[in-house]
Amino acid sequence: MRLSQLFTKTSKTIPADETSKNARLLIQAGFVHKEMAGVYAYLPLGLRVVENIKRIIRQEMNALGSQEIIMTSLQRKELWEKTGRWDDASVDVWFKSQLKNGTTVGFGWSHEEPITDMIRNYVNSYRDLPISVYQFQTKLRNEVRAKSGIMRGREFVMKDLYGYSRNAEELQDFYDSVSSAYLKIFKKVGIGDSTYLTFASGGAFTQFSHEFQTVTDSGEDTIYIDLDKKIAVNQEVLNDDVLKQLGLARDKLKEVKAAEVGNIFNFGSAKAEQLGVNFTDEDGNEKPLFLSSYGIGVTRLMGVVVELFSDERGLVWPKSIAPAQVIIDRLGESAGTIKAADDLYDKLLKHGVETLYDDRDVRPGEKFADADLMGIPLRIVVSEKTVSAGHFEVKKRTSTEVIMQSLDDILKDLAVTE
Ligand code: ATP
Ligand code: MG
């Protein structure tokens, strides 16, 4: 994409009403637009990051054999009443409204109830199981505090997956494989080293649920990590009994702030019992389905990446989710320089390299500052000097070293996946 055509602009002005680093940088770099507190729109570069994260997640969910769907945002009150989750006393983030005919509806903050109710139409016998479905959806939650930028939205993108199993053992197998898939996802996104499987409070069926917590001061949770075992315990469940049960020693745990990027939950047969969703087992008996549910906060994840990697010059994207791999900074307007930069742009695109091309007639300092602010992994300068040298000036976003490279070298380096 040519920056001369990109409708968004970067801004030097720090948004006055924004206290979180992630939103501040994303707004300044033109990745998101703040509509109101906790409500953000995703602009072309921001959307590319979201889509890249979704691509990584989708790959792993499909590998589990899960099938992608999109459920509705408008939800039926009766369904949630059956499971005791309609009341504001039990779920305090509901947005609710009325249809013209007076029917009360809720806006989807999660989807266990409608998905389980939908599944009843397709599952009759044990032969139809196990199955799982997932979606990327904009969830709506009436959060009290929305001070963490895109890490806590009143409207945000979640990937939620729902697994239906015949019994507790089958559920556990699936639970473990989704858990491994989650660790792969966080590694691919670039936060693997600072993300921990964390024991958190469970529900009626299990003592614990599991969270995936990424260590960052911008996080709202406190967790205790065993660095050798690479697991953590959420403060909310930390006590001597739990430590003993998990084989952890209090003096070996490190207390840190963390952000919950994912949460997996075993509902057992509770939901299906409440909703009356059954299957017929091998012996012809009616049994309730076993449900497990798995969330990843897609846009929160994006915010966490910003918090972890950005520096005083701006955003820093891991290659796997960057809005582009390369930014070409063309310095100078001579016919030779323009031709060399245009050629490079065409060739990179032809090789399938996502590229931003700063073809604007602005000062070099401004181009460099913008390339840094946007956080593009590789900057290539094309100028009169590089044209006469027959090489390009290449710099990584994470380094200060400028090296001279041919196009072949650049393409070779780009092909190496880190
Ligand atoms: P939290 O404890 O942070 O309020 P939660 O436990 O209510 O989150 P879940 O219902 O488990 O969240 O949702 C699945 C995932 O969605 C979470 O792990 C988190 O990554 C993300 N998420 C939850 N709430 C928000 C929000 N308000 N804004 C952005 N992402 C969110
Ligand atoms: Mg949670």
Side-chain angles (χ1 to χ4, degrees):
M1 178 174 290
R2 287 174 180 258
L3 290 197
S4 62
Q5 280 160 25
L6 182 68
F7 80 83
T8 57
K9 306 263 181 296
T10 59
S11 160
K12 289 196 185 61
T13 318
I14 297 171
D17 58 341
E18 198 59 72
T19 50
S20 85
K21 178 164 87 166
N22 68 77
R24 201 155 35 78
L25 286 172
L26 289 167
I27 291 168
Q28 283 188 264
F31 281 52
V32 306
H33 160 75
K34 184 176 188 174
E35 188 64 28
M36 63 181 97
V39 182
Y40 298 89
Y42 290 78
L43 306 178
L45 298 178
L47 184 58
R48 284 190 184 194
V49 177
V50 172
E51 290 301 323
N52 286 337
I53 296 173
K54 283 166 66 175
R55 180 174 39 75
I56 290 172
I57 297 176
R58 184 176 276 127
Q59 221 170 31
E60 293 299 328
M61 297 302 103
N62 289 346
L64 289 167
S66 194
Q67 300 175 44
E68 188 169 355
I69 59 173
I70 302 185
M71 293 299 285
T72 63
S73 285
L74 293 181
Q75 306 209 344
R76 285 173 287 148
K77 175 181 163 206
E78 298 73 37
L79 215 47
W80 292 85
E81 276 174 343
K82 284 188 191 161
T83 62
R85 297 214 287 179
W86 176 256
D87 237 21
D88 292 341
S90 55
V91 173
D92 61 0
V93 293
W94 272 117
F95 281 109
K96 295 173 181 172
S97 187
Q98 257 95 44
L99 302 182
K100 297 274 189 213
N101 69 7
T103 307
T104 299
V105 293
F107 295 104
W109 62 276
S110 189
H111 281 76
E112 283 85 6
E113 278 74 353
I115 289 208
T116 305
D117 195 56
M118 175 276 290
I119 283 289
R120 89 165 71 236
N121 298 317
Y122 305 102
V123 173
N124 300 310
S125 103
Y126 66 95
R127 288 191 211 86
D128 299 325
L129 294 165
I131 50 162
S132 75
V133 294
Y134 73 98
Q135 61 176 348
F136 293 98
Q137 229 224 9
T138 298
K139 302 288 190 229
L140 295 157
R141 293 189 182 184
N142 203 345
E143 302 274 2
V144 188
R145 289 163 295 119
K147 294 205 172 98
S148 301
I150 65 166
M151 288 170 63
R152 184 170 296 283
R154 297 200 161 96
E155 189 177 319
F156 62 96
V157 179
M158 192 200 287
K159 184 286 300 172
D160 40 337
L161 177 145
Y162 304 85
Y164 294 92
S165 314
R166 286 171 276 211
N167 53 50
E169 299 78 58
E170 190 172 84
L171 183 154
Q172 192 59 47
D173 282 349
F174 187 64
Y175 193 92
D176 294 341
S177 42
V178 182
S179 182
S180 319
Y182 269 32
L183 291 173
K184 274 193 221 159
I185 289 166
F186 298 128
K187 189 163 174 216
K188 282 191 189 169
V189 169
I191 60 171
D193 289 342
S194 35
T195 302
Y196 292 87
L197 180 72
T198 304
F199 289 79
S201 54
F205 251 77
T206 54
Q207 185 185 0
F208 301 113
S209 71
H210 291 93
E211 296 169 343
F212 294 81
Q213 293 274 2
T214 309
V215 178
T216 163
D217 282 336
S218 62
E220 294 177 12
D221 292 352
T222 302
I223 62 163
Y224 293 82
I225 309 172
D226 183 316
L227 290 168
D228 294 334
K229 296 192 171 145
K230 264 219 113 190
I231 55 170
V233 181
N234 194 311
Q235 186 176 40
E236 68 188 19
V237 295
L238 187 89
N239 63 43
D240 290 336
D241 278 352
V242 164
L243 288 178
K244 199 165 148 211
Q245 208 180 328
L246 299 175
L248 299 172
R250 202 179 270 267
D251 59 355
K252 283 186 95 187
L253 299 179
K254 189 175 164 206
E255 180 190 302
V256 292
K257 298 293 279 176
E260 179 197 313
V261 288
N263 195 184
I264 65 179
F265 212 91
N266 179 344
F267 282 96
S269 55
K271 285 270 168 252
E273 277 165 24
Q274 288 162 330
L275 296 169
V277 182
N278 300 316
F279 71 100
T280 314
D281 73 4
E282 279 100 330
D283 304 324
N285 301 317
E286 289 274 294
K287 294 244 175 82
L289 302 184
F290 279 70
L291 165 68
S292 46
S293 103
Y294 309 84
I296 292 183
V298 174
T299 41
R300 178 179 291 179
L301 187 50
M302 176 173 169
V304 167
V305 168
V306 174
E307 296 282 342
L308 282 190
F309 301 119
S310 62
D311 61 16
E312 65 292 342
R313 289 178 289 132
L315 301 167
V316 177
W317 296 110
K319 277 184 179 180
S320 59
I321 61 167
Q325 298 303 307
V326 170
I327 181 162
I328 301 172
D329 274 2
R330 187 184 78 206
L331 309 185
E333 298 292 312
S334 75
T337 309
I338 292 178
K339 179 168 184 323
D342 284 359
D343 278 356
L344 175 64
Y345 181 54
D346 289 343
K347 284 189 183 134
L348 286 172
L349 292 186
K350 220 172 64 203
H351 280 88
V353 179
E354 289 269 24
T355 305
L356 296 182
Y357 176 14
D358 196 345
D359 59 339
R360 300 170 303 166
D361 184 11
V362 300
R363 287 179 304 104
E366 199 172 327
K367 292 198 176 188
F368 293 155
D370 279 352
D372 281 348
L373 179 57
M374 290 177 190
I376 310 304
L378 206 67
R379 185 190 81 191
I380 306 180
V381 167
V382 180
S383 65
E384 219 131 290
K385 197 176 103 194
T386 69
V387 172
S388 54
H391 278 80
F392 301 104
E393 241 178 65
V394 180
K395 191 187 91 61
K396 284 190 181 150
R397 174 65 179 82
T398 50
S399 153
T400 49
E401 191 194 0
V402 174
I403 55 171
M404 299 296 274
Q405 279 191 313
S406 67
L407 177 60
D408 277 352
D409 294 339
I410 293 170
L411 288 172
K412 238 178 262 161
D413 282 358
L414 284 168
V416 177
T417 45
E418 276 166 16

